[in-house]
Amino acid sequence: MSDYVLSCCSTVDLTPDLLASRNVPCVFFNYELDGEQCRDDFGKTNSPAELYAKMLAGAPARTSQVSVGEYEEHFKPILDEGHDILHVTLSSGISGSYQSALNAAADLKDQYPDRRIVVVDSLCASAGYGLFVDRLADKRDEGMGLDELAAWAEANRLRLQHWFFSTDLTFFVRGGRVSKAAGAVGGLLNICPLLTVTREGKLDTFEKIRTKKKAIRAALAKMHEYARDREGYDGKVFISNSECMDDARALADLIEADFAKVDGGVQIFDIGATIGCHTGPGTVALFFWGDERPM
């Protein structure tokens, strides 16, 4: 039985049941939708369908990171139970939550002098972040101690591959990820850019691809190129999607046909509100363990 608690944020984009089964508590991100404050709580406040319908109807959506105070309120009950904490955050290249968690840990140091809070920047996002935390839970259950697990996380986080595409660039344009001119041309030419998360944990375009069918094949090709042991890959594969389950399932079927040893088959999740406010509907993201990221 470990003497520390592995913790994360709701932006892992998994499910509450899965996190509970892995004994990983989470702190919730927040967002504002059409002027209303909401929690990114795995679709309980707004289901993905409700969120995207409101966004497509013109409702403004803005996200906010977890505050220092919210982190402190998340950490305190765990510390009160006599546990140390290893908290893994959403990528610092996407959110300032890593710094907020560090500040909360520093603020609580005097109040809990016999306890430790170690904060690790995942450099991952969405269910890639979730797959990373899931693997850390495996290592914890195998008996790895807090410091050893934190070191393992930092040494291996860039091996979590992220590849995703979107059939609708509207919200990428609104968020400044894609220029208005590129978005207009992309719409006319039916371009589905293939994006990745870089070594710095930032979102970047890898290549521009015409048609959704080719984008699905391009994501599959990246798994052939970068997956650990290539077609012999026997780890887990997670896919997250924003209201485009047919596209996610099409990619999953191709992966399961080419990678017969995938642990438990491809698992598909919803993109949560924090990431979804920036992607909008139509995004499919693929995550697996492999070589270090190419950029």
Side-chain angles (χ1 to χ4, degrees):
M1 184 71 176
S2 63
D3 58 355
Y4 65 94
V5 169
L6 174 63
S7 171
C8 68
C9 304
S10 61
T11 41
V12 289
D13 289 354
L14 302 180
T15 66
D17 287 345
L18 178 53
L19 287 177
S21 72
R22 301 315 314 269
N23 296 314
V24 179
C26 76
V27 59
F28 295 103
F29 266 62
N30 305 287
Y31 65 102
E32 183 180 297
L33 182 63
D34 204 17
E36 180 183 355
Q37 293 295 323
C38 306
R39 285 207 310 179
D40 183 359
D41 52 7
F42 306 103
K44 183 178 180 181
T45 297
N46 288 291
S47 70
E50 292 168 334
L51 171 65
Y52 301 126
K54 292 176 182 178
M55 289 173 64
L56 289 169
R62 297 188 298 176
T63 60
S64 60
Q65 66 195 47
V66 181
S67 70
V68 174
E70 287 171 321
Y71 272 122
E72 291 182 8
E73 291 307 306
H74 172 68
F75 292 150
K76 282 181 179 179
I78 301 172
L79 299 171
D80 286 337
E81 291 176 354
H83 300 293
D84 294 332
I85 300 171
L86 174 59
H87 184 78
V88 183
T89 70
L90 178 65
S91 173
S92 61
I94 295 173
S95 168
S97 58
Y98 171 62
Q99 188 60 52
S100 293
L102 286 175
N103 292 343
D107 289 347
L108 292 171
K109 189 173 182 179
D110 289 340
Q111 189 174 345
Y112 297 90
D114 297 326
R115 300 270 62 84
R116 299 174 61 214
I117 303 174
V118 177
V119 181
V120 170
D121 179 0
S122 72
L123 297 178
C124 298
S126 191
Y129 172 25
L131 183 54
F132 185 62
V133 169
D134 182 73
R135 185 64 179 132
L136 295 182
D138 289 338
K139 294 290 185 180
R140 175 207 60 197
D141 293 348
E142 291 166 6
M144 193 172 280
L146 189 156
D147 291 318
E148 188 181 3
L149 184 58
W152 189 93
E154 292 182 345
N156 289 275
R157 57 192 172 184
L158 295 183
R159 296 189 180 280
L160 206 300
Q161 292 276 333
H162 297 58
W163 296 98
F164 54 107
F165 62 88
S166 181
T167 57
D168 186 341
L169 300 179
T170 301
F171 296 97
F172 285 88
V173 172
R174 288 186 188 177
R177 302 287 186 183
V178 175
S179 70
K180 289 183 179 180
V185 172
L188 290 172
L189 297 179
N190 199 21
I191 289 176
C192 298
L194 184 67
L195 301 102
T196 191
V197 172
T198 68
R199 292 171 178 267
E200 291 74 36
K202 297 178 180 180
L203 176 68
D204 203 353
T205 301
F206 191 82
E207 61 180 305
K208 296 176 182 177
I209 299 170
R210 291 190 65 179
T211 78
K212 176 175 63 178
K213 184 176 181 179
K214 289 181 180 178
I216 291 173
R217 286 285 180 181
L220 174 69
K222 293 307 175 188
M223 189 163 174
H224 280 282
E225 184 175 0
Y226 293 114
R228 183 187 66 212
D229 299 325
R230 305 305 188 253
E231 289 74 21
Y233 181 78
D234 61 359
K236 293 181 180 179
V237 175
F238 287 178
I239 288 177
S240 58
N241 79 104
S242 54
E243 280 299 283
C244 49
M245 177 58 79
D246 288 347
D247 297 334
R249 188 66 256 172
L251 176 56
D253 288 345
L254 292 173
I255 291 170
E256 289 175 349
D258 288 2
F259 297 85
K261 295 181 180 180
V262 166
D263 184 5
V266 177
Q267 299 181 59
I268 302 176
F269 303 93
D270 292 322
I271 290 177
T274 297
I275 305 298
C277 282
H278 297 283
T279 67
T283 296
V284 175
L286 168 64
F287 311 102
F288 56 89
W289 288 97
D291 300 340
E292 287 204 357
R293 297 172 191 172
M295 60 184 291

